[in-house]
Amino acid sequence: MKSLLNVSVPILLASAVFAGETAAKVPGVLPWMLDVKTPAVAPAEAVGSDPTRAVPPGYVPSAPPRKFVGVSGGETSTGGPDFSIVRFDEPGDGALWVRGRAYKARFDEASTTFIPWLGSQAPHNYPVRVELTSVRIGGEELELGQDALQRADDDVILDHGAVREVWHMGLETAEQTFVLASRPAGDLELTLGFATELAARVGTDGLEFDGPHGGVRIRGAVAIDAAGRRLALATRLEGASIRIDLPSAFSATAACPIVIDPVYSAYALENGTAVTGGPDVSNSGTAGRWCATYAFVYSATDNDVWAQDLNYGQPVAGTGMWIDSTTESWYDPRIAYNAVHDTYVVVSWVYNTTSKIMSRAHYAGTTSQLAQVLVQSASGGDCYYPDIGGDPTLASPTYFFVAWTRKYSPTDFDIHGRLLNWDGTLAGGGIVYIENSSAADSLPRVSKTDGHLPYATQRWNVVWARTNATVDVYGAQIGWDGQIVTPAFAIDTTSANDANPSASSVLDGAVGQRPWMVTFARDHGDWDVEARVLTGSSIQGAVDVSVREYSAIYEDQRWPDVDTNGQRFVLTYSETYQGNPADRDQYVATLHWNGTDIVVDEPHQNIDFSSADSTFGQIAGGMNDGSQGYPYYGLAWPRYSGSNGDVWTGAYFESPLVTNTCFGDGSGSFCPCGNTGATGHGCANSATSGALLDAVGPPFLSADGLVLVASSLPPSAACLFFQGAGIGSTGTVFGDGLRCILGTTLRVATRTATNGVALYPAAGETPISVRVALPADTGSRGYQAWYRNSANFCTPASFNMTNGVRVIWVR
């Protein structure tokens, strides 16, 4: 993985280009759609490219490098959820939930449920529910008042009137105390009803609730008065009740208040092995910041969900939170960001006996959450596998869009969606029926965002798999306000099996349909990663990325995920090591669209080369309203080894758009008269050890800030900047230097050096892309500077050349 240090990136405000449009941003009214089934229409003809893989002529796969146990050094383990503090949560179910390291607990106004963590391998939860049912003094029953639930710091208080029940919540234990404000006039009997499937018995130091995977210990109760006097109390089981007795001999002389304190703790027989997995990652409104979410397996029937802010892939201390820590099981969490309100929303499908879609919002960079929201119930059929996209712009109003799979019958699955507000609540007129036919459509993926402004062409791209005789890829586009702007269409219906599609956000652009990318895995006998660039529903270009990378194409490359920063595309995928399906590594590749072809700029960059199994990686651009073309991407992926599962995160710096090449320093062709220049420069001239050409600023057609700067010229030399269709890496002798430019040549501008420096454009001058009339999608160009050097120095020629510069122009 590339270093994150010492990288200077000019940042432009994308929103400034379209600032005049924001005042008229009015959402359309979403119609109330009916759940009407339609027949699945087979495509008239196969869509997509020939499924036969074209292997490069003479391709010989390279021998794989030796693998070492451990990590590759570029990534960071999240270390799992942060258990340094006790966390309290009110998800909206009317209860207060508490999460420690070894347990979680649920409080309502009637009872407490203590749920020990017995390791992710436990087949289900083993809760112990307790409730104060009786208080007797001198044999007479006291009336318990209306319970009131309160929280004070790490304490939870249930006020029963005659006695206050206070729970002191620690990381490992929960101490249940009963506080008596005045002396009881006689023997005191406390009775707690309990319910659990664990086997209850009296142990040597209190009560023990045992099961096949561990259980709960309740340490024998102790009475403590205000003066510090202590007395161990008789604690016994009576059927489904726990009885604690306080003799009057102690209370008659006790200093009040008197406290009785049994302590609850969990123990696991399997060392409490934790499994985390199923991560996702989202962009944010701050450069270098992302948020990852993933599942924590509390038991086989209870997945909790954790969210954690990241700074260049590193977990940010103090920002983690439990999106869900209830006993409902949340699966495959997905996350997106809304810039106007600085909120993330996590969505998940939640399964008990049926499956529904839930959401929850939280504020970026904080642990402040809003209540959980039911997005879609199972009333029309079980719902699974949601994905969500956000909005990076600061032009209100903005929304989230979530899509999911609806099971209509065992052979009929649909793609439905819903517009959400910034806080995860429901917006719009109801369900959006993206694909409601009789086909088997499933596993939708939504682009991370709907792109930068202009809002008229902001789109969430939605793709999914359809199972026929083979697996095909379909898609649709949803406008920023939830309108279906491109109805469901076929992306690939060839005879190949095409699995695990994902969709990028749209590229930047001021007018017209904007390109976007879909990636998927194709079965050629081994699996390759395929990519398609589309505008709307029209496929503009296709490529087998695995073949184009020219590396390890006979390994399986699967589970791609793609995103963009508005300029280029970056995808991540897993690849087998020596054909081993239990040892896959994670890779990244950078691509761009040049108008006619998908070009791989930086192929096959390894980010995880461990001996464990890494799959299903997720990637998110750093797209926000103020960072057009931001070159960093956030990453999250699971790593499995045996029964253990962990989540890893990282940040990827895409390959540069500008690279210097074709030097006269001896690294390429020889200079004409041995006049070797300084490192990275052109051939030496009569005044310096060679002129240097740099290109600084962003080569964005939507906001061209590129400047060509020639330095180390003779003090007042005439200098001509010119562009070529391509550029070589070595060059041929030309005058006193080397000509690097290839193909058609265009003059950019002529300038006279001042103190050996010349540049174009200066402030207020026509941008380079306009000067040479670059097309809307252009790809790479080469640049070089010719300059006069009339001194009697090398050859009879009176000119020399700088080094060359390769520039990839993007939108």
Side-chain angles (χ1 to χ4, degrees), residues 99-105 114-115 117 169-173 298:
R99 184 66 185 268
R101 182 183 291 115
Y103 69 91
K104 60 184 174 182
F114 183 87
I115 308 165
W117 186 57
M169 311 307 292
L171 288 174
E172 307 293 342
T173 63
Y298 201 83

Side-chain angles (χ1 to χ4, degrees), residues 211 217 238 298 374 383 386 426 430 449 466 491 523 579 597 627 807:
R217 298 281 188 261
E238 294 181 350
Y298 201 83
L374 174 65
C383 300
L426 305 181
T449 76
R466 173 175 291 181
I491 295 174
D523 186 2
D597 191 20
S627 60
V807 175

Side-chain angles (χ1 to χ4, degrees), residues 470-670:
T470 59
V471 182
D472 299 322
V473 178
Y474 281 71
Q477 289 185 303
I478 310 297
W480 67 271
D481 57 355
Q483 308 285 339
I484 299 177
V485 293
T486 306
F489 64 95
I491 295 174
D492 197 284
T493 58
T494 62
S495 59
N497 276 315
D498 296 322
N500 305 111
S502 71
S504 78
S505 304
V506 292
L507 295 182
D508 289 346
V511 295
Q513 289 272 25
R514 294 194 254 171
W516 60 284
M517 179 174 282
V518 56
T519 62
F520 52 89
R522 170 168 287 176
D523 186 2
H524 292 280
D526 65 90
W527 290 83
D528 284 1
V529 171
E530 299 275 344
R532 305 286 184 267
V533 166
L534 301 89
T535 52
S537 61
S538 176
I539 297 176
Q540 304 296 324
V543 69
D544 182 323
V545 178
S546 301
V547 170
R548 189 66 63 88
E549 287 188 318
Y550 275 50
S551 58
I553 63 173
Y554 293 112
E555 298 284 355
D556 276 345
Q557 288 92 19
R558 297 195 66 178
W559 299 292
D561 189 54
V562 65
D563 199 20
T564 181
N565 57 7
Q567 308 296 326
R568 285 198 285 183
F569 303 106
V570 176
L571 65 89
T572 185
Y573 57 90
S574 68
E575 178 180 291
T576 54
Y577 177 73
Q578 297 185 340
N580 184 356
D583 182 0
R584 288 165 288 203
D585 303 310
Q586 202 69 28
Y587 288 84
V588 174
T590 306
L591 308 90
H592 79 269
W593 172 242
N594 69 6
T596 58
D597 191 20
I598 301 170
V599 181
V600 179
D601 299 329
E602 184 171 57
H604 208 240
Q605 298 298 300
N606 180 257
I607 61 170
D608 185 329
F609 199 57
S610 73
S611 57
D613 192 28
S614 299
T615 59
F616 294 103
Q618 300 293 300
I619 193 165
M623 185 180 284
N624 60 60
D625 203 54
S627 60
Q628 186 180 23
Y630 188 71
Y632 288 96
Y633 291 78
L635 288 156
W637 68 96
R639 181 189 289 175
Y640 299 102
S641 180
S643 61
N644 294 328
D646 299 302
V647 170
W648 293 72
T649 58
Y652 172 72
F653 177 53
E654 68 179 18
S655 59
L657 293 170
V658 176
T659 53
N660 287 12
T661 187
C662 193
F663 307 115
D665 59 6
S667 59
S669 298
F670 292 111

